[in-house]
Amino acid sequence: MGSYLVRRGLRTAIVLVVASIAVFYGLRIAPGDPTGGVLSPTALEEVRAAYRQRLGLDQPIWVQYGVYLQNLARGDFGTSLITGKTIQELLGFYGRNSLVLGLAATVLIYGIGLPLGALAAAKRNTPIDQTITGFSIAGMGMPNFWLALLLIFLFASKLHWLPSGGCCAPDQLILPAVVLAAEGAAVTIRMTRSSMLEQLGADYVRTHRAKGLSETAVVYGRVFRNALNPLISLAGLRLGWLVGYALIVETIFQWPGLGYLLVDSILRRDYPVAQFFSLLLVTVVVAANLLADVAYGMADPRIRHA
């Protein structure tokens, strides 16, 4: 197990290094620079050139990257060129909002997906199973941005039950949390149903039934517990998916989280903010995949030796 963790850890480190280089170069070769968001549109070119020189943007990109690594080594993550706030201040505010949204979506994913998936398996090939399966197929097939627009149109524009965006009241959390959780809940339903159906065909199920245990005790007391293993191993991947979808959801609903901040900083060419939070989200996704790999390796020793 130790060598397996070392191999996975080295791969993760390589991915993070490559990602940092790609993000750094990508931001700087893209059209535009911070002068567009900081200086007046009527500012003279000499003023813009002086501002670029003060930020070191007149240096070759590889030199800028070296300075960036030196600052990171000293614990200096930078300051926003637009607001003047430090990265730590931005992380505290926007990170808290993303955490609230992510936790709410996670509760919905497993609070809806696990019970409905178990019910569909227990009622296999009945109208209940077909209804739940149809719901999960629709959830997996509908893009998040399209679902967000539909819910805004229905609940905000037509019924006026919920706000179309903003932060951070409970009613403002409902729509983005539902949209962020929709696909995850649908996938969880399908996986729970499939895993339970596989378990229902096992020998131990017939043994429990032969002992006289009720169907409810067999399905929800024995089968459901054993069916959770593949879902637990995929929990790390689920975190990576939530991070990716949060970029879209937070932007549409104007929820001030890390995804919203990242998109805004890229559009305004706020290099320090865009660089840090791009790498932060990449790190979260990579770490989530690493945890999923470790879980796979712990569950199936054959993977560790592959």
Side-chain angles (χ1 to χ4, degrees):
M1 188 64 182
S3 61
Y4 175 76
L5 291 177
V6 171
R7 292 197 305 270
R8 301 307 301 172
L10 288 176
R11 293 180 186 177
T12 300
I14 293 173
V15 170
L16 292 177
V17 171
V18 173
S20 69
I21 296 174
V23 170
F24 193 91
Y25 274 70
L27 287 172
R28 281 155 180 77
I29 65 177
D33 59 36
T35 61
V38 177
L39 302 179
S40 168
T42 60
L44 298 176
E45 182 57 34
E46 291 81 0
V47 176
R48 296 180 183 275
Y51 183 76
R52 296 189 190 100
Q53 184 176 13
R54 183 164 68 87
L55 296 179
L57 299 179
D58 58 331
Q59 300 292 325
I61 295 181
W62 64 271
V63 174
Q64 298 179 45
Y65 184 71
V67 173
Y68 173 74
L69 293 181
Q70 292 176 5
N71 292 335
L72 282 183
R74 294 197 302 266
D76 181 9
F77 299 111
T79 303
S80 171
L81 302 177
I82 306 299
T83 65
K85 293 183 178 180
T86 65
I87 297 298
Q88 290 86 341
E89 292 174 326
L90 295 174
L91 180 61
F93 176 74
Y94 290 93
R96 181 187 64 229
N97 293 333
S98 283
L99 184 61
V100 170
L101 178 59
L103 289 177
T106 301
V107 170
L108 290 176
I109 287 173
Y110 293 105
I112 294 174
L114 293 179
L116 290 184
L119 180 60
K123 304 293 184 180
R124 183 181 183 183
N125 297 329
T126 65
I128 294 177
D129 178 26
Q130 294 170 358
T131 301
I132 295 175
T133 301
F135 169 78
S136 65
I137 293 174
M140 290 188 295
M142 183 175 296
N144 280 2
F145 74 90
W146 181 245
L147 177 60
L149 296 178
L150 288 179
L151 294 183
I152 290 174
F153 175 76
L154 177 60
F155 292 103
S157 300
K158 290 297 182 182
L159 300 176
H160 303 288
W161 289 355
L162 296 169
S164 60
C167 178
C168 299
D171 59 341
Q172 295 172 322
L173 176 62
I174 294 176
L175 288 184
V178 168
V179 173
L180 187 58
E183 183 175 348
V187 173
T188 301
I189 290 173
R190 297 286 291 175
M191 290 188 60
T192 303
R193 180 182 182 274
S194 299
S195 183
M196 287 193 63
L197 290 178
E198 181 181 354
Q199 292 293 325
L200 284 170
D203 292 337
Y204 76 90
V205 174
R206 290 189 290 271
T207 302
H208 286 314
R209 286 171 175 165
K211 290 180 179 180
L213 290 179
S214 65
E215 191 66 16
T216 300
V218 172
V219 173
Y220 296 103
R222 304 294 196 278
V223 174
F224 179 72
R225 183 175 57 194
N226 293 333
L228 290 178
N229 290 333
L231 296 171
I232 294 173
S233 64
L234 284 177
L237 291 178
R238 182 80 65 216
L239 176 60
W241 296 341
L242 285 178
V243 170
Y245 293 143
L247 295 173
I248 300 173
V249 173
E250 290 180 357
T251 301
I252 293 177
F253 290 99
Q254 298 294 291
W255 182 269
L258 297 180
Y260 175 83
L261 175 63
L262 176 58
V263 173
D264 181 69
S265 62
I266 291 175
L267 293 176
R268 301 171 73 175
R269 298 297 185 270
D270 194 348
Y271 288 162
V273 177
Q275 180 75 28
F276 177 83
F277 287 102
S278 294
L279 291 180
L280 177 62
L281 295 183
V282 169
T283 301
V284 171
V285 173
V286 171
N289 283 291
L290 176 61
L291 291 176
D293 288 340
V294 172
Y296 283 141
M298 294 176 64
D300 189 350
R302 293 173 299 178
I303 297 176
R304 299 199 300 264
H305 301 293

